[in-house]
Amino acid sequence: MDVVNIFLTSELGESLEDFVHDHRRFTFDRLGPEGPRRLVEGPMWAFIDWVLPDLAGLELCRRLRADPRTADAHVTMVLEEDDPEDRRRALRAGADDYVVGPLTRTAVLDRVLALQSRASERNATRRFELGALVIDMAALQARWDGEPIVLRPNEFRLLRFFAENPNRVLTRDDLINGLGKREPPIDERTVDVWIGRLRRSIKAAGGGNPLRTVRSLGYVFDLG
Amino acid sequence: MDVVNIFLTSELGESLEDFVHDHRRFTFDRLGPEGPRRLVEGPMWAFIDWVLPDLAGLELCRRLRADPRTADAHVTMVLEEDDPEDRRRALRAGADDYVVGPLTRTAVLDRVLALQSRASERNATRRFELGALVIDMAALQARWDGEPIVLRPNEFRLLRFFAENPNRVLTRDDLINGLGKREPPIDERTVDVWIGRLRRSIKAAGGGNPLRTVRSLGYVFDLG
DNA sequence: CAATCCCGTCACAATCGCGTCACATCACTG
DNA sequence: CAGTGATGTGACGCGATTGTGACGGGATTG
């Protein structure tokens, strides 16, 4: 089952965190004027308030549509009142949908669950492009200069996590947590093996080595 | 461009007939307690009033969902007032969506057009050309480099579903649902057998293996 | 109504993934 | 340049996942 990623412009997300039982299926994040703060795998559901402190909701909606990483999110505009003209404008700005607020926790979840089954029909791809490296999250496939890289699941997760945090030293502990492997406890040295395997796989596809070792600290994904 | 079929429980349809210019793109029909009066091809958009003279709107919604001919219609419930409890019940009854009425002509069209663009990717193609693979939906035949592939009905459906969702990891669950086999429940491992048989049939026609296994997730049709 | 075909399930074999270990190699220090 | 600690990596083995031949019931065909 896919993870469902829900983005909200209000603080409702925190409240939903507690409300939801199954955290393997849902993630919540606050949607700021710069878009989502982290990239995710799986369908994205954005709920945008009509009025925001620093930006018009419509403008945020347009930005999401313009950014290839979020272009295929399902965007719901949250109207303050049921003004037909506003509805129209929301849909024109690229929203898929609108509701009349204020938003409640159950409204968000019900809506997502009801529409979710339809979402599998969409095959827009979410992708990272980091120099020669392209990561296609929908196909779970990475390429170097167009050449497919054969990656095992753990290698793919690792590469994805690096791609989400480029130019930043990640400790072995960061990586273990980033891949969600708290249980059972993983030996830190195992990370070295992960890195080695990932490097080898990239090399086998004719790629370079974007992973730099930072002695006694961790590893960095070098970009640019 | 596909025809858009709009079903309404009110007499708004007659009014829309006049309102709309392009009658090649739209059909309108009155939705009675027995469901639609005629069957149509292409996407179906139903708008159901919350209260109906002879039947509760919710019950009609459930009936549409239960009937395989209309199960995949996009159902919008038209609420009289914006009661959160009603919204919830609408979605639980299988509705995809709700609006607060009364329904206007422009609301119907705006809504359909906005949501339609998402769905349109699905049914438009009668012929897929995916690298060496060509699928002729009209002739129900597939070819690899011009060589006919002998496929059993289920294999054809499977291949078609993959072709509709290329470069996208499909879980076993996606595939079971995609082939419309919810009843009786299908063992997920059966999908592996489907894949094996499809691969063998493609190979028998001299084809390659476009189906990549994504361990512990599902399968992808690799394109490019 | 017999012959054939199709397909879902099962069981077993084959393969794969990955965490760990052990040893080789490397990088920094003085 | 020796010493020390950190990193690279081949090998191993367990457990999980996938591939597939065989079987049988139900549908389809002639």
Side-chain angles (χ1 to χ4, degrees), chain A residues 65 82 87-88 91 96-100 106 110-111 114-115 118 120 122-123 138-141 143, chain B residues 65 72-73 82 87-88 91 95-98 100 110-111 114-115 118 121 164 167-169 212 217 224:
Chain A
R65 283 279 173 261
D82 193 18
R87 297 194 223 167
R88 199 111 38 98
L91 296 176
D96 297 289
D97 219 353
Y98 53 79
V99 294
V100 178
T106 48
D110 282 347
R111 202 164 190 81
L115 292 174
R118 313 252 145 201
S120 66
R122 292 178 294 145
N123 57 0
L140 292 184
Q141 206 206 34
R143 289 165 183 274
Chain B
R65 281 282 174 258
D72 62 335
D82 192 19
R87 298 192 219 166
R88 197 120 29 103
L91 296 175
D96 296 290
D97 217 347
Y98 53 80
V100 178
D110 280 347
R111 206 165 189 79
L115 292 172
R118 303 258 148 202
E121 292 158 34
E164 284 171 352
N167 289 326
R168 186 161 172 283
V169 177
R212 170 166 55 98
L217 271 184

Side-chain angles (χ1 to χ4, degrees), chain B residues 122-140:
Chain B
R122 195 163 59 121
N123 277 332
T125 326
R126 282 267 160 262
R127 178 187 170 88
F128 298 88
E129 306 206 11
L130 306 159
L133 184 71
V134 176
I135 304 178
D136 184 340
M137 294 308 301
L140 292 182

Side-chain angles (χ1 to χ4, degrees), chain B residues 8 16 20 28 30 72 77 79 86 97 111 114 124 139 145 153 171 178-179 184 201 208:
Chain B
L8 297 142
L16 275 162
V20 164
F28 299 94
R30 185 70 170 275
D72 62 335
M77 290 295 301
L79 309 188
D86 283 351
D97 217 347
R111 206 165 189 79
D145 267 342
T171 64
L179 303 211
S201 295

Side-chain angles (χ1 to χ4, degrees), chain B residues 109-167:
Chain B
L109 293 181
D110 280 347
R111 206 165 189 79
V112 168
L113 291 176
L115 292 172
Q116 181 205 8
S117 61
R118 303 258 148 202
S120 67
E121 292 158 34
R122 195 163 59 121
N123 277 332
T125 326
R126 282 267 160 262
R127 178 187 170 88
F128 298 88
E129 306 206 11
L130 306 159
L133 184 71
V134 176
I135 304 178
D136 184 340
M137 294 308 301
L140 292 182
Q141 207 205 33
R143 290 166 182 274
W144 187 281
D145 267 342
E147 194 67 28
I149 306 175
V150 181
L151 293 174
R152 271 153 263 183
N154 201 50
E155 294 171 19
F156 191 85
R157 278 194 291 267
L158 185 61
L159 181 57
R160 168 176 183 239
F161 190 67
F162 271 114
E164 284 171 352
N165 302 79
N167 289 326

Side-chain angles (χ1 to χ4, degrees), chain A residues 43-59:
Chain A
M44 300 171 57
W45 301 85
F47 290 79
I48 303 179
D49 287 301
W50 188 252
V51 279
L52 295 174
D54 40 11
L55 187 72
L58 279 179
E59 179 52 27

